[in-house]
Amino acid sequence: MKKSGAPLPEILDKTITACLDNGTRLLDESYDLEFRDPVATRFYLILIAQEEFAKAFILYLVREGIAPLNSSVQRAIKDHACKQLVGMILDYMIMHWEEVVELHAMIERDLDLGNRLPHEIASALELLCYEKISRWTKDNLAWVEEPEYDRQAVAISKGKKDRRKQDALYVRIGGQGEVCSTPVVITDQEVERELERAKRYRGCVFGAQRGEDAGFDRSRFDKVIEALTLLFESERRHAAQSAGALG
């Protein structure tokens, strides 16, 4: 008989921890390649680690009852672009800055927005929930007016970041059989930037899993969770109806 109902929180906790541990392992192993040239293989491992941490965050949403673990959410867990959109959302919640002037600019922008999310983050959330997950659940979704999504979020949803990850592993061939890209295009600066980002992702999800105000900005985190709760409402309702039919 097919099982129905939500997965047990203790099972999800173990799976979240497994994803965090595996992402950490990948980061640790990336140091074994620190002095190899080109740096592309290390870059590839780091981006895979980021996706493991993003996967853990999706499972956190399931554990909290925000997202159901239906077939569409399971597909999102396996989909590279979905996990990279989650990464964009994690970047926002973490609120990272290098210079004090950047922090001041972030605070001013948050004050101006109030309870609203920045356009690029709202776009990432809607692309993840509507254009990916909900369309996989119901393929007849249509807009009265096409949304004007942020360009960066659209590019990620269409695989731009994933193509960069693939460029770290493969020789890309053009339409005339020419070499368009080789792994040597990956730079040391990209590697270091993505390594630090991966570490921040891990800290954010680790803190969220334990209910600690660590690794992220609480105000931004709460705004994202509130938005996701609304965006996943139809998915939760659909999952509950399916579970009722099975029961």
Side-chain angles (χ1 to χ4, degrees), residues 54-74:
K55 185 195 302 181
F57 184 72
I58 297 173
L59 290 167
Y60 165 79
L61 297 176
V62 176
R63 192 197 74 175
E64 295 300 299
I66 295 165
L69 194 61
N70 60 11
S71 60
S72 296
V73 172
Q74 290 181 47

Side-chain angles (χ1 to χ4, degrees), residues 81-213:
C82 284
K83 288 179 282 189
Q84 288 152 9
L85 283 169
V86 171
M88 188 174 174
I89 296 160
L90 290 173
D91 268 331
Y92 167 74
M93 295 191 299
I94 291 164
M95 197 175 177
H96 170 71
W97 69 91
E98 296 287 347
E99 304 288 341
V100 174
V101 66
E102 293 176 86
L103 172 60
H104 290 164
M106 288 179 179
I107 292 171
E108 282 187 26
R109 190 184 188 198
D110 283 353
L111 288 172
D112 289 342
L113 286 168
N115 292 326
R116 293 176 292 118
L117 289 164
H119 178 57
E120 66 273 15
I121 303 306
S123 295
L125 289 165
E126 290 177 8
L127 285 162
L128 173 69
C129 295
Y130 289 152
E131 304 295 349
K132 297 285 189 181
I133 293 172
S134 288
R135 285 194 186 278
W136 293 333
T137 302
K138 295 174 283 188
D139 60 7
N140 60 346
L141 290 178
W143 297 105
V144 176
E145 291 184 22
E146 284 295 320
E148 293 185 10
Y149 292 126
D150 172 76
R151 284 186 185 181
Q152 179 189 358
V154 170
I156 289 175
S157 76
K158 291 184 176 180
K160 181 179 180 180
K161 184 165 186 176
D162 201 58
R163 284 191 293 275
R164 189 62 175 173
K165 184 183 74 180
Q166 298 299 324
D167 284 345
L169 204 60
Y170 302 110
V171 172
R172 183 152 46 90
I173 308 300
Q176 301 301 312
E178 75 279 15
V179 173
C180 290
S181 174
T182 71
V184 298
V185 300
I186 305 299
T187 66
D188 290 330
Q189 290 78 11
E190 281 184 279
V191 171
E192 290 306 314
R193 183 172 61 246
E194 296 303 334
L195 176 61
E196 293 306 312
R197 177 175 283 125
K199 292 176 182 177
R200 293 194 295 269
Y201 286 4
R202 178 178 58 191
C204 177
V205 181
F206 188 85
Q209 182 191 19
R210 284 153 183 75
E212 300 170 356
D213 282 358

